[in-house]
Amino acid sequence: MDDLPAELRDLLATRYPRRTPMTAPTYRSQLGDFSSVVCFKAVIVGVEDTLGVDGAAVVFTRAGKVRGHNLVRELGLTGSNPPTEQIASLLNAAIGHDGTRLAAVTRSYDDGENVIIETQDTVCSAGEPQGSDRRCTFTLGAVWGALEAITGRTYLGEQTESVLRGGNSDKFVFSPL
């Protein structure tokens, strides 16, 4: 986060202060703002049981996109269109270790017309065995929505690599539409 402009760093620190489960809660007075990864994964499995894997993927990706758009709006970054290489640190400050801890956003870069964003330690992959076919649908959606809101462009997003299937990261590729 140190490589961000001071004004943006201060805004992010105000909106997403470094938190631990023991800090003063914003939304819940007794338990704080964090919830168990185990409980979140139970929601995923329950929705998959109800809607099927593909139906659940649509729901979680869309929910993530809404979250990503709202996050960027809350941060005042809508349409800011920073260089692609800076997007990872912006997102990581909000949803990484010092933010909501959805995922560590480790890298963002251009590959031709495509934007690539790499993540690690996603809530979607947590607790999954190696070789699992679990997809990072909510995380993909959150990054996708944030990218669209930041850039003002529309993309088609897909996960192309997974830490669960031999990748070094959960890699998301966004192709402009």
Side-chain angles (χ1 to χ4, degrees), residues 16-26 28 30-35 96-101:
Y16 299 96
R18 187 177 187 119
R19 301 180 200 162
T20 64
M22 299 305 292
T23 61
T26 302
R28 299 192 307 174
Q30 293 183 32
L31 298 176
D33 289 348
F34 288 94
S35 178
H97 185 270
D98 293 333
T100 63
R101 299 184 182 199

PDB file of all heavy atoms in Angstrom, residues 16-26 28 30-35 96-101:
ATOM      1  N   TYR A  16     -11.081   1.161   5.179  1.00  0.00           N
ATOM      2  CA  TYR A  16     -10.747  -0.234   5.455  1.00  0.00           C
ATOM      3  C   TYR A  16      -9.550  -0.292   6.388  1.00  0.00           C
ATOM      4  O   TYR A  16      -8.447  -0.659   5.997  1.00  0.00           O
ATOM      5  CB  TYR A  16     -10.468  -0.991   4.154  1.00  0.00           C
ATOM      6  CG  TYR A  16     -11.658  -0.992   3.256  1.00  0.00           C
ATOM      7  CD1 TYR A  16     -11.805  -0.059   2.243  1.00  0.00           C
ATOM      8  CD2 TYR A  16     -12.685  -1.906   3.461  1.00  0.00           C
ATOM      9  CE1 TYR A  16     -12.928  -0.041   1.454  1.00  0.00           C
ATOM     10  CE2 TYR A  16     -13.817  -1.885   2.670  1.00  0.00           C
ATOM     11  CZ  TYR A  16     -13.929  -0.955   1.675  1.00  0.00           C
ATOM     12  OH  TYR A  16     -15.047  -0.932   0.891  1.00  0.00           O
ATOM     13  N   PRO A  17      -9.771   0.090   7.652  1.00  0.00           N
ATOM     14  CA  PRO A  17      -8.651   0.060   8.592  1.00  0.00           C
ATOM     15  C   PRO A  17      -8.167  -1.361   8.804  1.00  0.00           C
ATOM     16  O   PRO A  17      -8.928  -2.313   8.660  1.00  0.00           O
ATOM     17  CB  PRO A  17      -9.256   0.634   9.881  1.00  0.00           C
ATOM     18  CG  PRO A  17     -10.715   0.385   9.751  1.00  0.00           C
ATOM     19  CD  PRO A  17     -11.026   0.446   8.279  1.00  0.00           C
ATOM     20  N   ARG A  18      -6.894  -1.476   9.121  1.00  0.00           N
ATOM     21  CA  ARG A  18      -6.349  -2.804   9.430  1.00  0.00           C
ATOM     22  C   ARG A  18      -7.165  -3.392  10.565  1.00  0.00           C
ATOM     23  O   ARG A  18      -7.319  -2.791  11.610  1.00  0.00           O
ATOM     24  CB  ARG A  18      -4.894  -2.671   9.839  1.00  0.00           C
ATOM     25  CG  ARG A  18      -4.238  -4.001  10.009  1.00  0.00           C
ATOM     26  CD  ARG A  18      -2.776  -3.810  10.341  1.00  0.00           C
ATOM     27  NE  ARG A  18      -2.177  -5.102  10.335  1.00  0.00           N
ATOM     28  CZ  ARG A  18      -1.199  -5.459   9.535  1.00  0.00           C
ATOM     29  NH1 ARG A  18      -0.702  -4.609   8.712  1.00  0.00           N
ATOM     30  NH2 ARG A  18      -0.707  -6.676   9.587  1.00  0.00           N
ATOM     31  N   ARG A  19      -7.724  -4.566  10.314  1.00  0.00           N
ATOM     32  CA  ARG A  19      -8.642  -5.139  11.283  1.00  0.00           C
ATOM     33  C   ARG A  19      -8.184  -6.522  11.712  1.00  0.00           C
ATOM     34  O   ARG A  19      -7.580  -7.248  10.963  1.00  0.00           O
ATOM     35  CB  ARG A  19     -10.030  -5.301  10.663  1.00  0.00           C
ATOM     36  CG  ARG A  19     -10.621  -4.033  10.187  1.00  0.00           C
ATOM     37  CD  ARG A  19     -11.973  -4.339   9.612  1.00  0.00           C
ATOM     38  NE  ARG A  19     -12.365  -3.247   8.745  1.00  0.00           N
ATOM     39  CZ  ARG A  19     -13.300  -3.343   7.856  1.00  0.00           C
ATOM     40  NH1 ARG A  19     -13.952  -4.454   7.693  1.00  0.00           N
ATOM     41  NH2 ARG A  19     -13.607  -2.322   7.114  1.00  0.00           N
ATOM     42  N   THR A  20      -8.560  -6.848  12.899  1.00  0.00           N
ATOM     43  CA  THR A  20      -8.478  -8.219  13.369  1.00  0.00           C
ATOM     44  C   THR A  20      -9.837  -8.517  13.969  1.00  0.00           C
ATOM     45  O   THR A  20     -10.608  -7.599  14.240  1.00  0.00           O
ATOM     46  CB  THR A  20      -7.379  -8.396  14.441  1.00  0.00           C
ATOM     47  OG1 THR A  20      -7.738  -7.630  15.578  1.00  0.00           O
ATOM     48  CG2 THR A  20      -6.015  -7.984  13.924  1.00  0.00           C
ATOM     49  N   PRO A  21     -10.172  -9.767  14.168  1.00  0.00           N
ATOM     50  CA  PRO A  21     -11.489 -10.065  14.723  1.00  0.00           C
ATOM     51  C   PRO A  21     -11.769  -9.396  16.067  1.00  0.00           C
ATOM     52  O   PRO A  21     -12.897  -9.293  16.473  1.00  0.00           O
ATOM     53  CB  PRO A  21     -11.469 -11.591  14.862  1.00  0.00           C
ATOM     54  CG  PRO A  21     -10.512 -12.045  13.823  1.00  0.00           C
ATOM     55  CD  PRO A  21      -9.455 -10.968  13.777  1.00  0.00           C
ATOM     56  N   MET A  22     -10.755  -8.888  16.760  1.00  0.00           N
ATOM     57  CA  MET A  22     -10.972  -8.303  18.075  1.00  0.00           C
ATOM     58  C   MET A  22     -11.161  -6.782  18.033  1.00  0.00           C
ATOM     59  O   MET A  22     -11.366  -6.161  19.049  1.00  0.00           O
ATOM     60  CB  MET A  22      -9.789  -8.628  18.986  1.00  0.00           C
ATOM     61  CG  MET A  22      -9.602 -10.128  19.200  1.00  0.00           C
ATOM     62  SD  MET A  22     -11.066 -10.961  19.827  1.00  0.00           S
ATOM     63  CE  MET A  22     -11.160 -10.273  21.457  1.00  0.00           C
ATOM     64  N   THR A  23     -11.088  -6.147  16.856  1.00  0.00           N
ATOM     65  CA  THR A  23     -11.244  -4.695  16.804  1.00  0.00           C
ATOM     66  C   THR A  23     -12.703  -4.315  16.959  1.00  0.00           C
ATOM     67  O   THR A  23     -13.602  -5.134  16.835  1.00  0.00           O
ATOM     68  CB  THR A  23     -10.726  -4.121  15.473  1.00  0.00           C
ATOM     69  OG1 THR A  23     -11.487  -4.687  14.405  1.00  0.00           O
ATOM     70  CG2 THR A  23      -9.255  -4.381  15.294  1.00  0.00           C
ATOM     71  N   ALA A  24     -12.938  -3.028  17.222  1.00  0.00           N
ATOM     72  CA  ALA A  24     -14.309  -2.536  17.383  1.00  0.00           C
ATOM     73  C   ALA A  24     -15.087  -2.783  16.100  1.00  0.00           C
ATOM     74  O   ALA A  24     -14.640  -2.415  15.022  1.00  0.00           O
ATOM     75  CB  ALA A  24     -14.278  -1.057  17.723  1.00  0.00           C
ATOM     76  N   PRO A  25     -16.236  -3.418  16.196  1.00  0.00           N
ATOM     77  CA  PRO A  25     -17.010  -3.758  15.006  1.00  0.00           C
ATOM     78  C   PRO A  25     -17.688  -2.543  14.383  1.00  0.00           C
ATOM     79  O   PRO A  25     -17.986  -1.565  15.062  1.00  0.00           O
ATOM     80  CB  PRO A  25     -18.050  -4.739  15.528  1.00  0.00           C
ATOM     81  CG  PRO A  25     -18.176  -4.406  16.972  1.00  0.00           C
ATOM     82  CD  PRO A  25     -16.822  -3.925  17.406  1.00  0.00           C
ATOM     83  N   THR A  26     -17.930  -2.640  13.109  1.00  0.00           N
ATOM     84  CA  THR A  26     -18.679  -1.619  12.397  1.00  0.00           C
ATOM     85  C   THR A  26     -20.141  -2.030  12.295  1.00  0.00           C
ATOM     86  O   THR A  26     -21.020  -1.212  12.457  1.00  0.00           O
ATOM     87  CB  THR A  26     -18.090  -1.430  10.987  1.00  0.00           C
ATOM     88  OG1 THR A  26     -16.720  -1.064  11.116  1.00  0.00           O
ATOM     89  CG2 THR A  26     -18.826  -0.341  10.237  1.00  0.00           C
ATOM     90  N   ARG A  28     -21.512  -5.328  13.599  1.00  0.00           N
ATOM     91  CA  ARG A  28     -22.008  -6.212  14.655  1.00  0.00           C
ATOM     92  C   ARG A  28     -21.350  -5.856  15.972  1.00  0.00           C
ATOM     93  O   ARG A  28     -20.127  -5.879  16.083  1.00  0.00           O
ATOM     94  CB  ARG A  28     -21.726  -7.674  14.306  1.00  0.00           C
ATOM     95  CG  ARG A  28     -22.399  -8.102  13.019  1.00  0.00           C
ATOM     96  CD  ARG A  28     -22.373  -9.583  12.792  1.00  0.00           C
ATOM     97  NE  ARG A  28     -21.039 -10.167  12.886  1.00  0.00           N
ATOM     98  CZ  ARG A  28     -20.825 -11.476  12.828  1.00  0.00           C
ATOM     99  NH1 ARG A  28     -21.821 -12.319  12.714  1.00  0.00           N
ATOM    100  NH2 ARG A  28     -19.603 -11.943  12.906  1.00  0.00           N
ATOM    101  N   GLN A  30     -21.405  -7.414  18.943  1.00  0.00           N
ATOM    102  CA  GLN A  30     -20.845  -8.459  19.794  1.00  0.00           C
ATOM    103  C   GLN A  30     -19.748  -9.274  19.120  1.00  0.00           C
ATOM    104  O   GLN A  30     -18.780  -9.653  19.762  1.00  0.00           O
ATOM    105  CB  GLN A  30     -21.953  -9.402  20.262  1.00  0.00           C
ATOM    106  CG  GLN A  30     -22.919  -8.717  21.204  1.00  0.00           C
ATOM    107  CD  GLN A  30     -23.956  -9.691  21.715  1.00  0.00           C
ATOM    108  OE1 GLN A  30     -23.698 -10.873  21.875  1.00  0.00           O
ATOM    109  NE2 GLN A  30     -25.153  -9.178  21.993  1.00  0.00           N
ATOM    110  N   LEU A  31     -19.887  -9.561  17.828  1.00  0.00           N
ATOM    111  CA  LEU A  31     -18.953 -10.476  17.168  1.00  0.00           C
ATOM    112  C   LEU A  31     -17.981  -9.804  16.208  1.00  0.00           C
ATOM    113  O   LEU A  31     -17.059 -10.442  15.718  1.00  0.00           O
ATOM    114  CB  LEU A  31     -19.736 -11.560  16.411  1.00  0.00           C
ATOM    115  CG  LEU A  31     -20.615 -12.448  17.287  1.00  0.00           C
ATOM    116  CD1 LEU A  31     -21.404 -13.420  16.419  1.00  0.00           C
ATOM    117  CD2 LEU A  31     -19.787 -13.185  18.316  1.00  0.00           C
ATOM    118  N   GLY A  32     -18.186  -8.535  15.894  1.00  0.00           N
ATOM    119  CA  GLY A  32     -17.311  -7.859  14.946  1.00  0.00           C
ATOM    120  C   GLY A  32     -17.716  -8.157  13.514  1.00  0.00           C
ATOM    121  O   GLY A  32     -18.690  -8.847  13.237  1.00  0.00           O
ATOM    122  N   ASP A  33     -16.949  -7.608  12.598  1.00  0.00           N
ATOM    123  CA  ASP A  33     -17.320  -7.651  11.184  1.00  0.00           C
ATOM    124  C   ASP A  33     -16.939  -8.940  10.464  1.00  0.00           C
ATOM    125  O   ASP A  33     -17.397  -9.176   9.355  1.00  0.00           O
ATOM    126  CB  ASP A  33     -16.665  -6.490  10.440  1.00  0.00           C
ATOM    127  CG  ASP A  33     -17.278  -5.162  10.808  1.00  0.00           C
ATOM    128  OD1 ASP A  33     -18.344  -5.152  11.445  1.00  0.00           O
ATOM    129  OD2 ASP A  33     -16.688  -4.130  10.464  1.00  0.00           O
ATOM    130  N   PHE A  34     -16.092  -9.746  11.039  1.00  0.00           N
ATOM    131  CA  PHE A  34     -15.625 -10.922  10.328  1.00  0.00           C
ATOM    132  C   PHE A  34     -16.472 -12.139  10.631  1.00  0.00           C
ATOM    133  O   PHE A  34     -17.004 -12.287  11.729  1.00  0.00           O
ATOM    134  CB  PHE A  34     -14.154 -11.208  10.632  1.00  0.00           C
ATOM    135  CG  PHE A  34     -13.244 -10.212   9.984  1.00  0.00           C
ATOM    136  CD1 PHE A  34     -12.825  -9.092  10.670  1.00  0.00           C
ATOM    137  CD2 PHE A  34     -12.842 -10.380   8.673  1.00  0.00           C
ATOM    138  CE1 PHE A  34     -12.013  -8.156  10.070  1.00  0.00           C
ATOM    139  CE2 PHE A  34     -12.032  -9.451   8.057  1.00  0.00           C
ATOM    140  CZ  PHE A  34     -11.614  -8.333   8.754  1.00  0.00           C
ATOM    141  N   SER A  35     -16.561 -13.012   9.637  1.00  0.00           N
ATOM    142  CA  SER A  35     -17.307 -14.247   9.756  1.00  0.00           C
ATOM    143  C   SER A  35     -16.381 -15.390   9.367  1.00  0.00           C
ATOM    144  O   SER A  35     -15.373 -15.182   8.695  1.00  0.00           O
ATOM    145  CB  SER A  35     -18.516 -14.197   8.815  1.00  0.00           C
ATOM    146  OG  SER A  35     -19.236 -15.395   8.882  1.00  0.00           O
ATOM    147  N   GLY A  96      -7.729  -7.328   0.595  1.00  0.00           N
ATOM    148  CA  GLY A  96      -6.624  -8.184   1.033  1.00  0.00           C
ATOM    149  C   GLY A  96      -6.464  -8.172   2.544  1.00  0.00           C
ATOM    150  O   GLY A  96      -7.419  -7.924   3.288  1.00  0.00           O
ATOM    151  N   HIS A  97      -5.261  -8.402   2.996  1.00  0.00           N
ATOM    152  CA  HIS A  97      -4.951  -8.544   4.423  1.00  0.00           C
ATOM    153  C   HIS A  97      -5.398  -7.350   5.254  1.00  0.00           C
ATOM    154  O   HIS A  97      -5.891  -7.508   6.369  1.00  0.00           O
ATOM    155  CB  HIS A  97      -3.453  -8.783   4.610  1.00  0.00           C
ATOM    156  CG  HIS A  97      -3.083  -9.057   6.025  1.00  0.00           C
ATOM    157  ND1 HIS A  97      -2.731  -8.058   6.904  1.00  0.00           N
ATOM    158  CD2 HIS A  97      -3.041 -10.212   6.720  1.00  0.00           C
ATOM    159  CE1 HIS A  97      -2.485  -8.589   8.080  1.00  0.00           C
ATOM    160  NE2 HIS A  97      -2.658  -9.902   7.999  1.00  0.00           N
ATOM    161  N   ASP A  98      -5.216  -6.140   4.738  1.00  0.00           N
ATOM    162  CA  ASP A  98      -5.563  -4.945   5.498  1.00  0.00           C
ATOM    163  C   ASP A  98      -7.014  -4.510   5.281  1.00  0.00           C
ATOM    164  O   ASP A  98      -7.437  -3.507   5.838  1.00  0.00           O
ATOM    165  CB  ASP A  98      -4.618  -3.793   5.146  1.00  0.00           C
ATOM    166  CG  ASP A  98      -3.207  -4.078   5.627  1.00  0.00           C
ATOM    167  OD1 ASP A  98      -3.045  -4.827   6.602  1.00  0.00           O
ATOM    168  OD2 ASP A  98      -2.265  -3.535   5.025  1.00  0.00           O
ATOM    169  N   GLY A  99      -7.754  -5.247   4.475  1.00  0.00           N
ATOM    170  CA  GLY A  99      -9.146  -4.928   4.209  1.00  0.00           C
ATOM    171  C   GLY A  99     -10.066  -6.027   4.705  1.00  0.00           C
ATOM    172  O   GLY A  99      -9.931  -6.506   5.828  1.00  0.00           O
ATOM    173  N   THR A 100     -10.955  -6.459   3.839  1.00  0.00           N
ATOM    174  CA  THR A 100     -11.971  -7.446   4.219  1.00  0.00           C
ATOM    175  C   THR A 100     -11.477  -8.884   4.174  1.00  0.00           C
ATOM    176  O   THR A 100     -12.195  -9.790   4.579  1.00  0.00           O
ATOM    177  CB  THR A 100     -13.202  -7.329   3.312  1.00  0.00           C
ATOM    178  OG1 THR A 100     -12.817  -7.627   1.963  1.00  0.00           O
ATOM    179  CG2 THR A 100     -13.831  -5.946   3.400  1.00  0.00           C
ATOM    180  N   ARG A 101     -10.284  -9.101   3.640  1.00  0.00           N
ATOM    181  CA  ARG A 101      -9.655 -10.427   3.584  1.00  0.00           C
ATOM    182  C   ARG A 101     -10.391 -11.441   2.704  1.00  0.00           C
ATOM    183  O   ARG A 101     -10.356 -12.637   2.960  1.00  0.00           O
ATOM    184  CB  ARG A 101      -9.435 -10.988   4.987  1.00  0.00           C
ATOM    185  CG  ARG A 101      -8.518 -10.104   5.806  1.00  0.00           C
ATOM    186  CD  ARG A 101      -8.211 -10.686   7.141  1.00  0.00           C
ATOM    187  NE  ARG A 101      -7.367  -9.734   7.866  1.00  0.00           N
ATOM    188  CZ  ARG A 101      -6.629 -10.065   8.895  1.00  0.00           C
ATOM    189  NH1 ARG A 101      -6.612 -11.298   9.330  1.00  0.00           N
ATOM    190  NH2 ARG A 101      -5.903  -9.158   9.509  1.00  0.00           N
TER     191      ARG A 101
END
